[in-house]
Amino acid sequence: MGAVRCLRARRKYEEGVAAGRAGRWEEARAALTDSLGLFTAEGMTHHVPVVLEPLVTACMFAGRLDEALRHAQALRDFADGSDDPMDRGTWLGKYGEVLSQIGRYPESAEVLRQAERALAGTADREARELRWSCLSDLGSVLAYAGWFGDAETVQRQAYLLGEELGSRTRMALSASQLVLAVSGVGHPERALEWAETAVDCLDPGEDSAVVAEVQGNRALALSAAGHHDEAEEAMRRALDAAGDVPLLRSQALQVRMETTRRAGRLDESASIVDELLARLPEDQFRPRAMALNHRAVIRLQQGRPAEAVADLEAGLRLKEQVSDQRGLATGHLNLAHAHLRAGDPAAARRHTEQAEPLWEALRRAGADESGAVGLFEQHSVAVYQIKQEIALAEGDPAGALAAAEQGRSGPLSARVRTARPGRESVPGDPPGPDRIRRLAARTGATVLLYATHFDLADAGFPAVVPGALHLWAVLPDGRIRHHTAPDFDPSVSGGPEPRDAAEAVRLLERQAGDERVRAEWARVLLEPVADLLPRGSGARLVVVPQRSLWSVPFGALPLPGGEPLIERCSVTLVPSLHALEMLTVEDAWAAGPPGGAPEDVLVVGGVEDGVAPAPLDGSPQPLPVVARHTAEAVAALHGAKPMTGRVTVPAVLARLGTADLLHFSCHGLVDTRLRLDQPPGALALTPVHDTGAAASPEEQGQLTTPLITATPTRARLAVLACCATGQGLITMDGVLGPVRAFLAAGVPTVVGTLWEVPEGPTHEVMVRFHTELRAGGDPAEALRRAVLQARRDWELPEIWAAFTLVGSPGPARSVPAQSS
């Protein structure tokens, strides 16, 4: 009898596997369940994990997540007792996949990391294919959990591994998951690029599950970018590929309810939610919670906050069943939004207080700079916007200002605080109203702080569609004023209307010479506070932008009467008031202009043999020699000798930590990622020797942002007279690029450019700036005078408006602060 049962068990196993390959998941589940029972009854435990692996997959695709979890837990137990890397990686990977499906993201991420580590040292193809699966699943989990920086790093590793394996299917899946990761840090263009890459990797006759995922994520990317008709077509393809497979159908419907809502088809989106809830079993807590959360968003948009509260409370109870920490954090914040819309700020505050520690715990999970910034991106949008709205609803604009400042004091502030001795005397928490008043008085500056509010978080992900723009003015005498800025009028562009504020800013960058566009942004950003703007000799304005406003050339915006802002006062940008507080805690400029002795000055320019990594394969592309005469002229002003010709990274690093003044006139690469897990940006110097794509950044002559950040410096000023060094990856924590890197290294004041400026005007501006700086010792005022001279010589704003100063504006002014 035992032999017969064993033969039957093997036959049932083979039937189940064949049914799974054909997509008949319920049939596969039934046959494999029978096989498992027979092998177990015979005591043939060595066959059990072999059956459990496809059984877990069948249960997941059949929509039976409770069974999948039970069987996956048994696989984990087998993995714990195995010394075989393949078995351990396979079984742990399957368990991690199920944990992801039910929303236990932190636990899933840890299990998948264990699986990937078990396979890392095994080089045969089967092990590498399995390692790809672990990396891809891990990247997906990190994105769902909101750890977008880490998700991008891991998913890129999976993409490259798929490329090494020659598997277009694996490349397509990794590229598709990268859509979610890069969308999470607010880059719709890059998300669309990855979405199209994923589609390009699909072969005719591709597996329907792969097509459903790729087209679904492409639909999300198109929808987020405002391409609703194209998103609809991608969504149709995803639904066709999903067919009636329960798991695929549910996932496709979740994407569809989002794309229809973004397109404004609220009734249709609500009906999709109802269909999804009817299809989902009662024990699928996480998908049901996401659907309820989505319906609540629709009801809020329809002006039905009481019904939204009911859905959100039901969703919160479901998330508690699976310990979905990110879902709980988002659920509490959505309830805060709903209660605020319903006119109950006290209830909104209670839910915000419950959400904040949950988000704080998630934010601390960032493994590197990229992950930390990505987590802060989500944390700041999710928590501090609602705190601002609650304070404003309670008539407390100063409290709203403090919440807005909390929402921008992130990883960069922590780096700035530890970059130089003495800054630790500044409290580690962001400043409240009283400290902000004292800061404005000490710097003698009027402060303008902007905060963009975004659409309500939905389905666990904060939306990136900008809403109202709030601004606060803080005067040196302590007065604080709050305004809601008027909407930008897109008709002034004279071309296709921008879909959102971010695109409007990019339009401004492209059309800096368009007087109507500049005037419209002046109406939005300056007109509400025009009567409060400083005027006169040495008058200072400190601007705290947010996200895309970093691209605005504030100095070129016209005031009533037509004069640009730079005619009236100097303009300094800072990523946060907390950072400014630390950058100015010790008056670095009290000792006079920087570069008092020739050995204190480092000037780099006229670099020979510089290269830029090609976007696709990283191969070095030659760059022309630029700005030798600028470097020589600037060095001569300070009595120093410039570094020109062959200038290597080690040679510059040897001087970077000792100079008081740094000046670079070379090629800047602001969108270059030489390592996938590092922030973008580099200054192009001379390679150490002839190198290829496999060489390190230092060998390729790239002074990268991580290298700059990791090199402590005593410099008080860094001047980056290179193309677009003020740009980079725009986040809630400022702009990840060269300017930020020097701030993080300890430099209190950095000069950069918002776009590429011709070499001749750049030379004149830089020589004039250094001349004014040596005469007056006030960097913000020196740059203002240099720019005004350039405006007289070249009227076009495209020439003179790009130069920007970030950090400390200059010597303390000691204006007495008032208490109100």
Side-chain angles (χ1 to χ4, degrees), residues 519-535:
E520 178 60 13
W521 271 112
R523 184 183 71 84
V524 172
L525 299 175
L526 299 182
E527 188 174 297
V529 292
D531 60 321
L532 302 176
L533 296 174
R535 179 191 295 274

Side-chain angles (χ1 to χ4, degrees), residues 2 44 68 84 116 127 152 282 305 310 320 331 367 387 432 443 467 537 565 574 587 599 686 690 705 757 770 799:
M44 301 180 69
D84 183 88
E116 194 273 331
E152 183 179 1
E282 292 294 327
E320 289 170 347
K387 292 183 76 171
T443 57
S537 177
L565 179 62
V574 292
D587 190 0
E599 61 269 20
T686 306
D690 291 338
T705 54
V757 182
H770 283 277
I799 300 295

